Every structure is written in C-alpha cells, then in structure tokens.
C-alpha cells in the first residue's frame, strides 16, 4: 500500500503570476503519466492559487496555511486562514472567485471543493482530485478561459 505524504507552508504576498501548473511544463508526457498527473492537476493548482489569493485579499491575516496531501487515490490541498471568515450563503453573485475560479474549475475536472467558514472563525478550503489509476485516460486540457 502506498503511503501518504504532505507538505505545509505559510505564506502571504506574491503568489506568482503564472498558471497554477507552470512547474509541470518541463515534465514529458511519459513522466506525467508515470506520476499520475494530467490536466486535472492544473485545475487543482489553479483553484489552490485562487483560494490563496482570496485568503490573502480578504482574511485580514498575516499568514495563510497551505497543506497538500497525496495518497494512492487522491491529491488534496487545504488552504486555511484564521481571519475574519464570512457567511458562505451571503456571498454576492458578482463575487465569482469561489464559484467560478475554484468550484467550477474543480467540478469540471471531477474534483470536489469543501468550504468551512463563519464570520469571525476563519476559512478553510479543501480541494480534492482523484489520481489516475493505471490504464485511465487523461482529461482534456483546460482552455485559456478556464484557467483564468
């Protein structure tokens, strides 16, 4: 049985201007397949970036906790702040960061998003994506509009 691995980080500030999957560009198609990485993970990384940007902009915190967990079947990324939090049901429809840049991006690729938040209690965004099993087909690449 494969093990679990995780990486934690605290950050605030420049989150980079590139797409969420830029660091994967140097991997060959064979290397990506061997690692079980496809365009779903570009969506996962883009959604994680958006969650970090949202936390940096809106939480009022000096630091944001990020954690990635990988196991045999999935990859999960957690973005947490201990900031002001918000009422999830009270988000105005013109605020599309969570709905479009995070939730829709993940769901189009078969991933999931869970958000825990409340006013004064901070926010945690959990992003999960299944890994490819041997013999699985890769998912069509994100379009430029989807990765924006």
């Amino acid at each position: 049985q494969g093990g679990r691995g995780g990486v934690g980080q605290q950050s605030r500030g420049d989150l980079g201007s590139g797409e969420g999957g830029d660091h994967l560009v140097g991997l060959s198609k064979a290397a990506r397949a061997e690692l079980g990485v496809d365009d779903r993970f570009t969506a996962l990384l883009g959604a994680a970036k958006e969650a970090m940007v949202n936390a940096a902009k809106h939480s009022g915190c000096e630091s944001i906790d990020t954690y990635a967990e990988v196991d045999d079947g999935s990859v999960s990324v957690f973005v947490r702040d201990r900031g002001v939090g918000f009422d999830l049901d009270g988000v105005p429809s013109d605020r599309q960061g969570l709905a479009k840049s995070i939730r829709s991006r993940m769901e189009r690729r078969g991933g999931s998003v869970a958000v825990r938040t409340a006013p004064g209690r901070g926010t945690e965004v959990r992003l999960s994506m299944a890994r490819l099993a041997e013999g699985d087909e890769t998912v069509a690449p994100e379009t430029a509009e989807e990765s924006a």
Side-chain angles (χ1 to χ4, degrees), residues 84-145:
V84 297
F86 62 98
D87 176 5
L88 194 56
D89 294 327
V91 176
S93 62
D94 65 331
R95 303 300 300 253
Q96 295 296 308
L98 182 59
K100 185 175 180 183
S101 294
I102 297 177
R103 192 173 303 281
S104 292
R105 175 180 284 173
M106 291 292 292
E107 290 175 353
R108 277 193 305 270
R109 299 288 182 251
S112 64
V113 177
V115 179
R116 289 189 328 171
T117 187
R121 305 281 318 242
T123 301
E124 180 179 275
V125 178
R126 178 183 184 189
L127 309 164
S128 297
M129 188 70 71
R131 295 182 66 192
L132 285 177
E134 194 170 317
D136 282 352
E137 297 282 326
T138 60
V139 177
E142 277 193 295
T143 66
E145 181 179 298

Side-chain angles (χ1 to χ4, degrees), residues 1-31:
Q1 305 232 16
R4 291 168 65 136
V7 177
Q9 177 180 345
Q10 290 189 349
S11 65
R12 183 178 170 118
D14 183 16
L15 298 173
S17 58
E19 289 305 312
D22 281 351
H23 67 283
L24 299 175
V25 170
L27 293 178
S28 69
K29 192 172 190 176

Side-chain angles (χ1 to χ4, degrees), residues 21 24-39 42 132:
L24 299 175
V25 170
L27 293 178
S28 69
K29 192 172 190 176
R32 284 177 177 227
E34 185 176 330
L35 293 170
V37 173
D38 66 6
D39 291 309
T42 300
L132 285 177

